[in-house]
Amino acid sequence: MKGSSSLYSITMINEQQIIVIGGGAGGMIAAWHAASLGAKVLLLEKNPQLGIKILISGGGKCNITNGADIQTMIRQFQTNESRFLKYAFHKFTNLALLDLLHTEGVETYVRENGKVFPKSHDAEDVLKALRNMMDRVNVTVKLQSPVKEIFVDPDGTFSIKTGRDTITASSVIVATGGSSYQKTGTTGDGFRWMKKLGHTIVPLRPALTPIIVSPAPPSLWQGTPIRDCTLMAISDKKIVSEWRGDVLITHFGLSGPATLEVSRNAYLEFELGKTINMCVDFYPELSFEQLDEKMIADIASAPARTILTLTEQLVPQKLAEYILVSAKIGFIKKLNQLSKNERRGLTTILKRFSLGTVKEIPLDRGEVTAGGVALNEVDPTTMESTVVKGLYLCGEILDIAGPVGGYNLQAAFSTGFVAGENAAHPSK
Ligand SMILES: Cc1cc2nc3c(=O)[nH]c(=O)nc-3n(C[C@H](O)[C@H](O)[C@H](O)COP(=O)(O)OP(=O)(O)OC[C@H]3O[C@@H](n4cnc5c(N)ncnc54)[C@H](O)[C@@H]3O)c2cc1C
């Protein structure tokens, strides 16, 4: 008997079994695939239900994956992450994932931006499919089974200590996810275990996170979307992160796709103690001079209008008065009375309008966690740890964080598939 403790009973279920810890996207695919190859698989999930992150993904609609070709998908990740994911993304592609879901009766569609969703717009359908797949190949699922510790025994097998008992296994797949949205169960337990077992943990940082700014936006602006702008994080007059897309002004600061994408790199500067100014370019497709030309044309087309009327057409209406105050132009000034300096001053603001400085980029509110188990300590063709034999990792516990668009779930599914296959057939 291994890992014995007087406080816990020891359940020797089967030394040859694979234990998967964590019933999210990565863990469920890993468990299903290993069992479909004939392995005896036990999945331990701390929550009373599987796949809570899947249920909240894509606002409950679940952006399952992306419809881009595999090369394009891989390129969405940072260079070291792309290199690591290449094998897994080819081994278990977006199309292979969708084929599986279609077989399970989940119809999907691709949006113009490549995001793939279930036609039902119900993440529960994706989760149901994964549960059915696991049922069919006899994966044993134990809910409300939080794993407390993993021990490697002298003979290379594992003892997994849960709240109730200690279970032994020939190999373990750790799929405990990241460290954000902790209420969903991802409290970063896996990082602690992996560190204890000798792995390097790349520091955990927020990614795809809303940004809290100071001063907080005026209440009038709250809920205002700024469509198709470029959001910039500026430090020491340099743009340290930028993204073109939509920004949503909230009561605490900024959200929306462009904000989420900017957050990861903005945080790298913020943690150095730098002041980060969040600015928006309302007209990213036009240079300063082109926008100034547009202003000249707009003014010429209706010179008797007030500057407020024009500004309300150029930016979200609720921001117009504030922008004119910033440009020191009276609201009722007629366009034909606008000086060249006033016009160019306004153009400058439209190209770089400050929405406040970064106050916080909270790790817990990130859709993903950047950082995690160092990729150079995991074999990308098997997902086996190079530090501990028989230990496999998949999903967000790895030092991987992709952009919005279905890439993170695909990364969890692809790495889970590879981990499941190799845990079942370790000689491969
Ligand atoms: C609000 C939100 C929206 C998102 N939307 C999308 C989207 O639309 N598309 C997309 O691609 N990505 C999206 N993501 C990201 C995506 O959900 C994750 O990257 C993905 O779920 C990671 O999968 P995983 O299997 O690694 O981890 P998770 O899905 O987080 O699963 C980990 C599981 O491990 C369990 N666990 C943790 N510790 C223990 C323990 N000690 N014992 C037992 N079990 C444990 C947890 O309870 C959890 O169920 C979103 C994330 C959030 C937070």
Side-chain angles (χ1 to χ4, degrees), residues 179-182 204-213 252-255 259-260 263-264 266-267 270 358-370:
S179 196
S180 63
Y181 275 74
Q182 295 214 353
L204 306 181
R205 295 194 173 96
L208 301 185
T209 308
I211 298 178
I212 300 174
V213 295
F252 58 78
L254 311 177
S255 187
T259 308
L260 301 193
S263 63
R264 182 178 185 179
Y267 186 82
F270 182 65
V358 175
K359 186 175 171 198
E360 203 188 337
I361 305 180
L363 178 70
D364 192 52
R365 284 162 76 172
E367 288 200 1
V368 280
T369 307

PDB file of all heavy atoms in Angstrom, residues 179-182 204-213 252-255 259-260 263-264 266-267 270 358-370:
ATOM      1  N   SER A 179      -6.181  29.547 -13.137  1.00  0.00           N
ATOM      2  CA  SER A 179      -6.337  30.068 -11.783  1.00  0.00           C
ATOM      3  C   SER A 179      -7.274  31.265 -11.758  1.00  0.00           C
ATOM      4  O   SER A 179      -7.267  32.046 -10.818  1.00  0.00           O
ATOM      5  CB  SER A 179      -4.959  30.467 -11.251  1.00  0.00           C
ATOM      6  OG  SER A 179      -5.013  30.617  -9.871  1.00  0.00           O
ATOM      7  N   SER A 180      -8.090  31.400 -12.794  1.00  0.00           N
ATOM      8  CA  SER A 180      -9.051  32.505 -12.803  1.00  0.00           C
ATOM      9  C   SER A 180     -10.454  31.930 -12.604  1.00  0.00           C
ATOM     10  O   SER A 180     -10.629  30.711 -12.628  1.00  0.00           O
ATOM     11  CB  SER A 180      -8.974  33.270 -14.126  1.00  0.00           C
ATOM     12  OG  SER A 180      -9.334  32.429 -15.194  1.00  0.00           O
ATOM     13  N   TYR A 181     -11.421  32.807 -12.394  1.00  0.00           N
ATOM     14  CA  TYR A 181     -12.800  32.356 -12.132  1.00  0.00           C
ATOM     15  C   TYR A 181     -12.771  31.241 -11.090  1.00  0.00           C
ATOM     16  O   TYR A 181     -13.305  30.147 -11.305  1.00  0.00           O
ATOM     17  CB  TYR A 181     -13.460  31.873 -13.430  1.00  0.00           C
ATOM     18  CG  TYR A 181     -14.074  33.003 -14.239  1.00  0.00           C
ATOM     19  CD1 TYR A 181     -13.270  33.878 -14.951  1.00  0.00           C
ATOM     20  CD2 TYR A 181     -15.447  33.203 -14.268  1.00  0.00           C
ATOM     21  CE1 TYR A 181     -13.810  34.921 -15.680  1.00  0.00           C
ATOM     22  CE2 TYR A 181     -16.007  34.239 -15.006  1.00  0.00           C
ATOM     23  CZ  TYR A 181     -15.183  35.093 -15.706  1.00  0.00           C
ATOM     24  OH  TYR A 181     -15.732  36.119 -16.439  1.00  0.00           O
ATOM     25  N   GLN A 182     -12.151  31.543  -9.953  1.00  0.00           N
ATOM     26  CA  GLN A 182     -11.924  30.499  -8.954  1.00  0.00           C
ATOM     27  C   GLN A 182     -13.217  29.888  -8.431  1.00  0.00           C
ATOM     28  O   GLN A 182     -13.223  28.741  -8.003  1.00  0.00           O
ATOM     29  CB  GLN A 182     -11.071  31.060  -7.818  1.00  0.00           C
ATOM     30  CG  GLN A 182      -9.675  31.438  -8.303  1.00  0.00           C
ATOM     31  CD  GLN A 182      -8.590  31.208  -7.282  1.00  0.00           C
ATOM     32  OE1 GLN A 182      -8.855  30.875  -6.139  1.00  0.00           O
ATOM     33  NE2 GLN A 182      -7.346  31.381  -7.693  1.00  0.00           N
ATOM     34  N   LEU A 204       1.990  33.051 -12.955  1.00  0.00           N
ATOM     35  CA  LEU A 204       0.608  33.163 -13.433  1.00  0.00           C
ATOM     36  C   LEU A 204       0.251  34.633 -13.610  1.00  0.00           C
ATOM     37  O   LEU A 204       0.531  35.449 -12.727  1.00  0.00           O
ATOM     38  CB  LEU A 204      -0.349  32.513 -12.426  1.00  0.00           C
ATOM     39  CG  LEU A 204      -0.030  31.069 -12.050  1.00  0.00           C
ATOM     40  CD1 LEU A 204      -1.074  30.535 -11.068  1.00  0.00           C
ATOM     41  CD2 LEU A 204       0.037  30.177 -13.283  1.00  0.00           C
ATOM     42  N   ARG A 205      -0.346  34.936 -14.733  1.00  0.00           N
ATOM     43  CA  ARG A 205      -0.724  36.330 -15.018  1.00  0.00           C
ATOM     44  C   ARG A 205      -2.092  36.354 -15.672  1.00  0.00           C
ATOM     45  O   ARG A 205      -2.490  35.396 -16.323  1.00  0.00           O
ATOM     46  CB  ARG A 205       0.292  36.954 -15.979  1.00  0.00           C
ATOM     47  CG  ARG A 205       1.677  37.081 -15.394  1.00  0.00           C
ATOM     48  CD  ARG A 205       2.524  37.992 -16.256  1.00  0.00           C
ATOM     49  NE  ARG A 205       3.797  38.253 -15.613  1.00  0.00           N
ATOM     50  CZ  ARG A 205       4.916  37.576 -15.862  1.00  0.00           C
ATOM     51  NH1 ARG A 205       4.903  36.591 -16.736  1.00  0.00           N
ATOM     52  NH2 ARG A 205       6.035  37.891 -15.259  1.00  0.00           N
ATOM     53  N   PRO A 206      -2.788  37.489 -15.525  1.00  0.00           N
ATOM     54  CA  PRO A 206      -4.104  37.570 -16.169  1.00  0.00           C
ATOM     55  C   PRO A 206      -3.978  37.640 -17.691  1.00  0.00           C
ATOM     56  O   PRO A 206      -3.011  38.191 -18.219  1.00  0.00           O
ATOM     57  CB  PRO A 206      -4.683  38.878 -15.628  1.00  0.00           C
ATOM     58  CG  PRO A 206      -3.537  39.651 -15.085  1.00  0.00           C
ATOM     59  CD  PRO A 206      -2.448  38.690 -14.764  1.00  0.00           C
ATOM     60  N   ALA A 207      -4.951  37.075 -18.352  1.00  0.00           N
ATOM     61  CA  ALA A 207      -5.069  37.222 -19.814  1.00  0.00           C
ATOM     62  C   ALA A 207      -6.555  37.238 -20.149  1.00  0.00           C
ATOM     63  O   ALA A 207      -7.358  36.681 -19.396  1.00  0.00           O
ATOM     64  CB  ALA A 207      -4.376  36.066 -20.518  1.00  0.00           C
ATOM     65  N   LEU A 208      -6.891  37.863 -21.236  1.00  0.00           N
ATOM     66  CA  LEU A 208      -8.297  38.022 -21.647  1.00  0.00           C
ATOM     67  C   LEU A 208      -9.141  38.528 -20.466  1.00  0.00           C
ATOM     68  O   LEU A 208     -10.148  37.932 -20.090  1.00  0.00           O
ATOM     69  CB  LEU A 208      -8.859  36.695 -22.188  1.00  0.00           C
ATOM     70  CG  LEU A 208      -8.134  36.097 -23.393  1.00  0.00           C
ATOM     71  CD1 LEU A 208      -8.852  34.856 -23.898  1.00  0.00           C
ATOM     72  CD2 LEU A 208      -7.993  37.105 -24.534  1.00  0.00           C
ATOM     73  N   THR A 209      -8.676  39.636 -19.916  1.00  0.00           N
ATOM     74  CA  THR A 209      -9.245  40.158 -18.674  1.00  0.00           C
ATOM     75  C   THR A 209      -9.761  41.586 -18.865  1.00  0.00           C
ATOM     76  O   THR A 209      -9.099  42.387 -19.533  1.00  0.00           O
ATOM     77  CB  THR A 209      -8.124  40.188 -17.598  1.00  0.00           C
ATOM     78  OG1 THR A 209      -7.521  38.909 -17.550  1.00  0.00           O
ATOM     79  CG2 THR A 209      -8.645  40.554 -16.241  1.00  0.00           C
ATOM     80  N   PRO A 210     -10.894  41.918 -18.265  1.00  0.00           N
ATOM     81  CA  PRO A 210     -11.328  43.326 -18.273  1.00  0.00           C
ATOM     82  C   PRO A 210     -10.310  44.177 -17.511  1.00  0.00           C
ATOM     83  O   PRO A 210      -9.578  43.668 -16.659  1.00  0.00           O
ATOM     84  CB  PRO A 210     -12.658  43.289 -17.516  1.00  0.00           C
ATOM     85  CG  PRO A 210     -13.049  41.867 -17.422  1.00  0.00           C
ATOM     86  CD  PRO A 210     -11.814  41.045 -17.534  1.00  0.00           C
ATOM     87  N   ILE A 211     -10.264  45.458 -17.809  1.00  0.00           N
ATOM     88  CA  ILE A 211      -9.264  46.341 -17.198  1.00  0.00           C
ATOM     89  C   ILE A 211      -9.971  47.402 -16.353  1.00  0.00           C
ATOM     90  O   ILE A 211     -10.864  48.110 -16.846  1.00  0.00           O
ATOM     91  CB  ILE A 211      -8.379  46.995 -18.288  1.00  0.00           C
ATOM     92  CG1 ILE A 211      -7.612  45.887 -19.040  1.00  0.00           C
ATOM     93  CG2 ILE A 211      -7.419  48.020 -17.677  1.00  0.00           C
ATOM     94  CD1 ILE A 211      -6.729  46.393 -20.186  1.00  0.00           C
ATOM     95  N   ILE A 212      -9.553  47.492 -15.086  1.00  0.00           N
ATOM     96  CA  ILE A 212     -10.119  48.511 -14.200  1.00  0.00           C
ATOM     97  C   ILE A 212      -9.278  49.773 -14.367  1.00  0.00           C
ATOM     98  O   ILE A 212      -8.040  49.708 -14.307  1.00  0.00           O
ATOM     99  CB  ILE A 212     -10.090  48.023 -12.736  1.00  0.00           C
ATOM    100  CG1 ILE A 212     -10.918  46.733 -12.630  1.00  0.00           C
ATOM    101  CG2 ILE A 212     -10.621  49.095 -11.788  1.00  0.00           C
ATOM    102  CD1 ILE A 212     -10.861  46.060 -11.283  1.00  0.00           C
ATOM    103  N   VAL A 213      -9.942  50.904 -14.628  1.00  0.00           N
ATOM    104  CA  VAL A 213      -9.187  52.131 -14.875  1.00  0.00           C
ATOM    105  C   VAL A 213      -9.494  53.188 -13.811  1.00  0.00           C
ATOM    106  O   VAL A 213     -10.496  53.127 -13.110  1.00  0.00           O
ATOM    107  CB  VAL A 213      -9.476  52.736 -16.283  1.00  0.00           C
ATOM    108  CG1 VAL A 213      -8.994  51.810 -17.379  1.00  0.00           C
ATOM    109  CG2 VAL A 213     -10.930  53.103 -16.449  1.00  0.00           C
ATOM    110  N   PHE A 252     -16.585  49.879 -14.014  1.00  0.00           N
ATOM    111  CA  PHE A 252     -15.243  49.849 -13.419  1.00  0.00           C
ATOM    112  C   PHE A 252     -14.155  50.243 -14.401  1.00  0.00           C
ATOM    113  O   PHE A 252     -13.023  50.502 -14.013  1.00  0.00           O
ATOM    114  CB  PHE A 252     -14.942  48.446 -12.857  1.00  0.00           C
ATOM    115  CG  PHE A 252     -15.034  47.346 -13.891  1.00  0.00           C
ATOM    116  CD1 PHE A 252     -14.014  47.139 -14.803  1.00  0.00           C
ATOM    117  CD2 PHE A 252     -16.161  46.535 -13.958  1.00  0.00           C
ATOM    118  CE1 PHE A 252     -14.106  46.139 -15.758  1.00  0.00           C
ATOM    119  CE2 PHE A 252     -16.252  45.530 -14.916  1.00  0.00           C
ATOM    120  CZ  PHE A 252     -15.231  45.336 -15.812  1.00  0.00           C
ATOM    121  N   GLY A 253     -14.477  50.214 -15.680  1.00  0.00           N
ATOM    122  CA  GLY A 253     -13.434  50.511 -16.663  1.00  0.00           C
ATOM    123  C   GLY A 253     -13.785  49.981 -18.029  1.00  0.00           C
ATOM    124  O   GLY A 253     -14.811  50.353 -18.598  1.00  0.00           O
ATOM    125  N   LEU A 254     -12.962  49.044 -18.513  1.00  0.00           N
ATOM    126  CA  LEU A 254     -13.106  48.617 -19.901  1.00  0.00           C
ATOM    127  C   LEU A 254     -13.269  47.114 -20.007  1.00  0.00           C
ATOM    128  O   LEU A 254     -12.602  46.351 -19.304  1.00  0.00           O
ATOM    129  CB  LEU A 254     -11.864  49.024 -20.697  1.00  0.00           C
ATOM    130  CG  LEU A 254     -11.409  50.482 -20.529  1.00  0.00           C
ATOM    131  CD1 LEU A 254     -10.133  50.737 -21.317  1.00  0.00           C
ATOM    132  CD2 LEU A 254     -12.512  51.429 -20.969  1.00  0.00           C
ATOM    133  N   SER A 255     -14.149  46.719 -20.920  1.00  0.00           N
ATOM    134  CA  SER A 255     -14.325  45.301 -21.216  1.00  0.00           C
ATOM    135  C   SER A 255     -14.498  45.193 -22.729  1.00  0.00           C
ATOM    136  O   SER A 255     -14.140  46.112 -23.463  1.00  0.00           O
ATOM    137  CB  SER A 255     -15.531  44.765 -20.437  1.00  0.00           C
ATOM    138  OG  SER A 255     -15.599  43.377 -20.592  1.00  0.00           O
ATOM    139  N   THR A 259     -10.413  44.937 -25.298  1.00  0.00           N
ATOM    140  CA  THR A 259      -9.830  45.074 -23.953  1.00  0.00           C
ATOM    141  C   THR A 259      -9.229  43.741 -23.502  1.00  0.00           C
ATOM    142  O   THR A 259      -8.100  43.693 -22.994  1.00  0.00           O
ATOM    143  CB  THR A 259     -10.910  45.506 -22.940  1.00  0.00           C
ATOM    144  OG1 THR A 259     -11.583  46.654 -23.450  1.00  0.00           O
ATOM    145  CG2 THR A 259     -10.303  45.806 -21.579  1.00  0.00           C
ATOM    146  N   LEU A 260      -9.991  42.662 -23.688  1.00  0.00           N
ATOM    147  CA  LEU A 260      -9.506  41.351 -23.248  1.00  0.00           C
ATOM    148  C   LEU A 260      -8.171  41.028 -23.929  1.00  0.00           C
ATOM    149  O   LEU A 260      -7.223  40.550 -23.297  1.00  0.00           O
ATOM    150  CB  LEU A 260     -10.528  40.257 -23.562  1.00  0.00           C
ATOM    151  CG  LEU A 260     -11.933  40.403 -22.949  1.00  0.00           C
ATOM    152  CD1 LEU A 260     -12.721  39.102 -23.093  1.00  0.00           C
ATOM    153  CD2 LEU A 260     -11.902  40.800 -21.483  1.00  0.00           C
ATOM    154  N   SER A 263      -5.132  43.002 -22.551  1.00  0.00           N
ATOM    155  CA  SER A 263      -4.821  42.888 -21.116  1.00  0.00           C
ATOM    156  C   SER A 263      -3.515  42.148 -20.815  1.00  0.00           C
ATOM    157  O   SER A 263      -2.770  42.540 -19.914  1.00  0.00           O
ATOM    158  CB  SER A 263      -5.985  42.215 -20.381  1.00  0.00           C
ATOM    159  OG  SER A 263      -6.175  40.894 -20.858  1.00  0.00           O
ATOM    160  N   ARG A 264      -3.225  41.083 -21.561  1.00  0.00           N
ATOM    161  CA  ARG A 264      -2.066  40.242 -21.211  1.00  0.00           C
ATOM    162  C   ARG A 264      -0.757  41.031 -21.282  1.00  0.00           C
ATOM    163  O   ARG A 264       0.032  41.041 -20.337  1.00  0.00           O
ATOM    164  CB  ARG A 264      -2.011  39.029 -22.144  1.00  0.00           C
ATOM    165  CG  ARG A 264      -0.881  38.073 -21.829  1.00  0.00           C
ATOM    166  CD  ARG A 264      -0.929  36.879 -22.762  1.00  0.00           C
ATOM    167  NE  ARG A 264       0.069  35.887 -22.425  1.00  0.00           N
ATOM    168  CZ  ARG A 264       0.215  34.747 -23.063  1.00  0.00           C
ATOM    169  NH1 ARG A 264      -0.592  34.433 -24.063  1.00  0.00           N
ATOM    170  NH2 ARG A 264       1.161  33.890 -22.709  1.00  0.00           N
ATOM    171  N   ALA A 266      -0.477  44.347 -21.565  1.00  0.00           N
ATOM    172  CA  ALA A 266      -0.547  45.545 -20.717  1.00  0.00           C
ATOM    173  C   ALA A 266      -0.118  45.179 -19.300  1.00  0.00           C
ATOM    174  O   ALA A 266       0.569  45.940 -18.617  1.00  0.00           O
ATOM    175  CB  ALA A 266      -1.966  46.108 -20.730  1.00  0.00           C
ATOM    176  N   TYR A 267      -0.512  43.980 -18.867  1.00  0.00           N
ATOM    177  CA  TYR A 267      -0.178  43.563 -17.500  1.00  0.00           C
ATOM    178  C   TYR A 267       1.338  43.446 -17.301  1.00  0.00           C
ATOM    179  O   TYR A 267       1.862  43.762 -16.221  1.00  0.00           O
ATOM    180  CB  TYR A 267      -0.852  42.227 -17.151  1.00  0.00           C
ATOM    181  CG  TYR A 267      -0.638  41.857 -15.701  1.00  0.00           C
ATOM    182  CD1 TYR A 267      -1.436  42.407 -14.708  1.00  0.00           C
ATOM    183  CD2 TYR A 267       0.405  41.006 -15.325  1.00  0.00           C
ATOM    184  CE1 TYR A 267      -1.215  42.109 -13.368  1.00  0.00           C
ATOM    185  CE2 TYR A 267       0.636  40.705 -13.991  1.00  0.00           C
ATOM    186  CZ  TYR A 267      -0.181  41.258 -13.018  1.00  0.00           C
ATOM    187  OH  TYR A 267       0.046  40.974 -11.703  1.00  0.00           O
ATOM    188  N   PHE A 270       2.381  46.773 -16.458  1.00  0.00           N
ATOM    189  CA  PHE A 270       1.727  47.219 -15.219  1.00  0.00           C
ATOM    190  C   PHE A 270       2.426  46.615 -14.000  1.00  0.00           C
ATOM    191  O   PHE A 270       2.645  47.287 -12.999  1.00  0.00           O
ATOM    192  CB  PHE A 270       0.252  46.800 -15.266  1.00  0.00           C
ATOM    193  CG  PHE A 270      -0.549  47.232 -14.071  1.00  0.00           C
ATOM    194  CD1 PHE A 270      -0.756  48.582 -13.812  1.00  0.00           C
ATOM    195  CD2 PHE A 270      -1.086  46.308 -13.196  1.00  0.00           C
ATOM    196  CE1 PHE A 270      -1.491  48.990 -12.707  1.00  0.00           C
ATOM    197  CE2 PHE A 270      -1.821  46.696 -12.093  1.00  0.00           C
ATOM    198  CZ  PHE A 270      -2.027  48.040 -11.846  1.00  0.00           C
ATOM    199  N   VAL A 358      -4.512  52.444 -16.048  1.00  0.00           N
ATOM    200  CA  VAL A 358      -4.808  51.115 -15.491  1.00  0.00           C
ATOM    201  C   VAL A 358      -4.690  51.151 -13.967  1.00  0.00           C
ATOM    202  O   VAL A 358      -3.669  51.577 -13.420  1.00  0.00           O
ATOM    203  CB  VAL A 358      -3.835  50.058 -16.057  1.00  0.00           C
ATOM    204  CG1 VAL A 358      -4.067  48.702 -15.371  1.00  0.00           C
ATOM    205  CG2 VAL A 358      -3.985  49.941 -17.566  1.00  0.00           C
ATOM    206  N   LYS A 359      -5.748  50.692 -13.303  1.00  0.00           N
ATOM    207  CA  LYS A 359      -5.725  50.602 -11.842  1.00  0.00           C
ATOM    208  C   LYS A 359      -5.481  49.144 -11.434  1.00  0.00           C
ATOM    209  O   LYS A 359      -4.764  48.845 -10.506  1.00  0.00           O
ATOM    210  CB  LYS A 359      -7.066  51.093 -11.293  1.00  0.00           C
ATOM    211  CG  LYS A 359      -7.121  51.185  -9.797  1.00  0.00           C
ATOM    212  CD  LYS A 359      -8.450  51.803  -9.384  1.00  0.00           C
ATOM    213  CE  LYS A 359      -8.638  51.714  -7.891  1.00  0.00           C
ATOM    214  NZ  LYS A 359     -10.042  51.914  -7.548  1.00  0.00           N
ATOM    215  N   GLU A 360      -6.103  48.229 -12.184  1.00  0.00           N
ATOM    216  CA  GLU A 360      -5.949  46.810 -11.879  1.00  0.00           C
ATOM    217  C   GLU A 360      -6.311  45.964 -13.090  1.00  0.00           C
ATOM    218  O   GLU A 360      -7.215  46.330 -13.859  1.00  0.00           O
ATOM    219  CB  GLU A 360      -6.890  46.448 -10.710  1.00  0.00           C
ATOM    220  CG  GLU A 360      -6.455  45.223  -9.943  1.00  0.00           C
ATOM    221  CD  GLU A 360      -7.504  44.787  -8.923  1.00  0.00           C
ATOM    222  OE1 GLU A 360      -8.326  45.626  -8.494  1.00  0.00           O
ATOM    223  OE2 GLU A 360      -7.483  43.586  -8.579  1.00  0.00           O
ATOM    224  N   ILE A 361      -5.604  44.847 -13.250  1.00  0.00           N
ATOM    225  CA  ILE A 361      -5.983  43.849 -14.266  1.00  0.00           C
ATOM    226  C   ILE A 361      -6.108  42.541 -13.479  1.00  0.00           C
ATOM    227  O   ILE A 361      -5.133  41.841 -13.247  1.00  0.00           O
ATOM    228  CB  ILE A 361      -4.934  43.754 -15.394  1.00  0.00           C
ATOM    229  CG1 ILE A 361      -4.696  45.138 -16.024  1.00  0.00           C
ATOM    230  CG2 ILE A 361      -5.390  42.759 -16.463  1.00  0.00           C
ATOM    231  CD1 ILE A 361      -3.678  45.179 -17.151  1.00  0.00           C
ATOM    232  N   PRO A 362      -7.325  42.237 -13.005  1.00  0.00           N
ATOM    233  CA  PRO A 362      -7.463  41.162 -12.010  1.00  0.00           C
ATOM    234  C   PRO A 362      -7.367  39.761 -12.604  1.00  0.00           C
ATOM    235  O   PRO A 362      -8.107  39.425 -13.532  1.00  0.00           O
ATOM    236  CB  PRO A 362      -8.862  41.407 -11.426  1.00  0.00           C
ATOM    237  CG  PRO A 362      -9.555  42.322 -12.365  1.00  0.00           C
ATOM    238  CD  PRO A 362      -8.584  42.906 -13.326  1.00  0.00           C
ATOM    239  N   LEU A 363      -6.458  38.973 -12.041  1.00  0.00           N
ATOM    240  CA  LEU A 363      -6.234  37.596 -12.504  1.00  0.00           C
ATOM    241  C   LEU A 363      -7.532  36.793 -12.515  1.00  0.00           C
ATOM    242  O   LEU A 363      -7.822  36.061 -13.456  1.00  0.00           O
ATOM    243  CB  LEU A 363      -5.210  36.916 -11.571  1.00  0.00           C
ATOM    244  CG  LEU A 363      -4.874  35.451 -11.867  1.00  0.00           C
ATOM    245  CD1 LEU A 363      -4.064  35.330 -13.144  1.00  0.00           C
ATOM    246  CD2 LEU A 363      -4.094  34.821 -10.722  1.00  0.00           C
ATOM    247  N   ASP A 364      -8.331  36.961 -11.469  1.00  0.00           N
ATOM    248  CA  ASP A 364      -9.511  36.102 -11.336  1.00  0.00           C
ATOM    249  C   ASP A 364     -10.553  36.357 -12.414  1.00  0.00           C
ATOM    250  O   ASP A 364     -11.397  35.505 -12.676  1.00  0.00           O
ATOM    251  CB  ASP A 364     -10.154  36.281  -9.949  1.00  0.00           C
ATOM    252  CG  ASP A 364     -11.190  35.197  -9.698  1.00  0.00           C
ATOM    253  OD1 ASP A 364     -10.834  34.012  -9.859  1.00  0.00           O
ATOM    254  OD2 ASP A 364     -12.355  35.521  -9.410  1.00  0.00           O
ATOM    255  N   ARG A 365     -10.500  37.545 -13.035  1.00  0.00           N
ATOM    256  CA  ARG A 365     -11.543  37.842 -14.022  1.00  0.00           C
ATOM    257  C   ARG A 365     -11.110  37.528 -15.448  1.00  0.00           C
ATOM    258  O   ARG A 365     -11.801  37.854 -16.412  1.00  0.00           O
ATOM    259  CB  ARG A 365     -12.000  39.285 -13.872  1.00  0.00           C
ATOM    260  CG  ARG A 365     -12.901  39.369 -12.623  1.00  0.00           C
ATOM    261  CD  ARG A 365     -13.060  40.740 -12.113  1.00  0.00           C
ATOM    262  NE  ARG A 365     -13.973  41.521 -12.920  1.00  0.00           N
ATOM    263  CZ  ARG A 365     -14.389  42.728 -12.574  1.00  0.00           C
ATOM    264  NH1 ARG A 365     -13.979  43.276 -11.460  1.00  0.00           N
ATOM    265  NH2 ARG A 365     -15.198  43.387 -13.344  1.00  0.00           N
ATOM    266  N   GLY A 366      -9.956  36.866 -15.568  1.00  0.00           N
ATOM    267  CA  GLY A 366      -9.471  36.515 -16.906  1.00  0.00           C
ATOM    268  C   GLY A 366     -10.191  35.301 -17.464  1.00  0.00           C
ATOM    269  O   GLY A 366     -10.461  34.355 -16.732  1.00  0.00           O
ATOM    270  N   GLU A 367     -10.473  35.318 -18.761  1.00  0.00           N
ATOM    271  CA  GLU A 367     -11.068  34.124 -19.375  1.00  0.00           C
ATOM    272  C   GLU A 367     -10.039  32.999 -19.412  1.00  0.00           C
ATOM    273  O   GLU A 367     -10.404  31.827 -19.495  1.00  0.00           O
ATOM    274  CB  GLU A 367     -11.581  34.435 -20.786  1.00  0.00           C
ATOM    275  CG  GLU A 367     -12.817  35.299 -20.756  1.00  0.00           C
ATOM    276  CD  GLU A 367     -13.625  35.253 -22.025  1.00  0.00           C
ATOM    277  OE1 GLU A 367     -13.259  34.525 -22.970  1.00  0.00           O
ATOM    278  OE2 GLU A 367     -14.642  35.970 -22.079  1.00  0.00           O
ATOM    279  N   VAL A 368      -8.769  33.364 -19.383  1.00  0.00           N
ATOM    280  CA  VAL A 368      -7.714  32.348 -19.271  1.00  0.00           C
ATOM    281  C   VAL A 368      -6.619  32.876 -18.344  1.00  0.00           C
ATOM    282  O   VAL A 368      -6.552  34.068 -18.053  1.00  0.00           O
ATOM    283  CB  VAL A 368      -7.061  31.980 -20.625  1.00  0.00           C
ATOM    284  CG1 VAL A 368      -7.899  31.014 -21.401  1.00  0.00           C
ATOM    285  CG2 VAL A 368      -6.709  33.180 -21.442  1.00  0.00           C
ATOM    286  N   THR A 369      -5.757  31.940 -17.923  1.00  0.00           N
ATOM    287  CA  THR A 369      -4.605  32.305 -17.106  1.00  0.00           C
ATOM    288  C   THR A 369      -3.362  32.140 -17.968  1.00  0.00           C
ATOM    289  O   THR A 369      -3.145  31.072 -18.537  1.00  0.00           O
ATOM    290  CB  THR A 369      -4.492  31.350 -15.896  1.00  0.00           C
ATOM    291  OG1 THR A 369      -5.750  31.341 -15.221  1.00  0.00           O
ATOM    292  CG2 THR A 369      -3.394  31.783 -14.953  1.00  0.00           C
ATOM    293  N   ALA A 370      -2.573  33.205 -18.075  1.00  0.00           N
ATOM    294  CA  ALA A 370      -1.275  33.063 -18.749  1.00  0.00           C
ATOM    295  C   ALA A 370      -0.298  32.529 -17.705  1.00  0.00           C
ATOM    296  O   ALA A 370      -0.478  32.736 -16.508  1.00  0.00           O
ATOM    297  CB  ALA A 370      -0.820  34.405 -19.289  1.00  0.00           C
TER     298      ALA A 370
END
